[in-house]
Amino acid sequence: MHMKAVFFALLALACTLPLRADNWIQNGDFADGINHWRGNGRAPADFAPENPLDKPDPFTSKGLIIALRHMDWSKVAQDFKGKSAGGVLTITYMVSPDLAFSTKPDHYMNIPDLIHYDGWQPFNIPPGDWIVFITDFGSAHGTYYMIKPTLGSSSPQTYKARVTGLTPLEDKTITVAFPPGDGKLVILQISMTDN
């Protein structure tokens, strides 16, 4: 009788704990610096003051930091194993007070060519947006999402989207790409989960 009570107590406790979805993206919280990521992103250590007694800039003290380039798109990418045909993409990020994306229409035309993803069909996006690609590894099969940040705010911003049409259990690539401009954008967390 005692074992039955213990079992039901443990079952009740398990039902009250929140379910934690597994992140398909490796090091999506950047707790391990920029490991598993490639491209133009930089680690907080790159922005640390030379004098250890100086306080670091809170804006560049965590996450994956992208310093915009004046004439070219910047991007960071990671290969990961997709688990199902769909999921939820969540990105939490901050923009520097001086962040300003290019307003030149040419910087937003034929995006695949601008970020050197030549296998994709050409498409344009509105000035001031940045994008996230999720593709099957080594192919042009996938989808993209346009994100328009709120400028002038240093508060964290979150983008969330339901992703569908993935090939289950196949290798994928996630690419986050930013138009030319000035300032910095910090990705605090990026996740791809099945719920």
Side-chain angles (χ1 to χ4, degrees), residues 59-99:
F59 184 78
T60 55
S61 64
K62 58 185 173 251
L64 177 91
I65 302 144
I66 294 92
L68 297 183
R69 299 186 296 176
H70 295 292
M71 297 305 295
D72 297 313
W73 277 68
S74 304
K75 68 182 178 188
V76 293
Q78 179 186 133
D79 300 328
F80 68 98
K81 176 72 85 176
K83 296 187 179 179
S84 62
V88 176
L89 169 69
T90 307
I91 302 175
T92 302
Y93 64 95
M94 298 185 307
V95 298
S96 64
D98 63 339
L99 186 122

Side-chain angles (χ1 to χ4, degrees), residues 154-169:
S154 59
S155 298
Q157 301 176 46
T158 300
Y159 174 82
K160 196 170 205 173
R162 180 155 292 283
V163 178
T164 59
L166 302 177
T167 306
L169 302 175

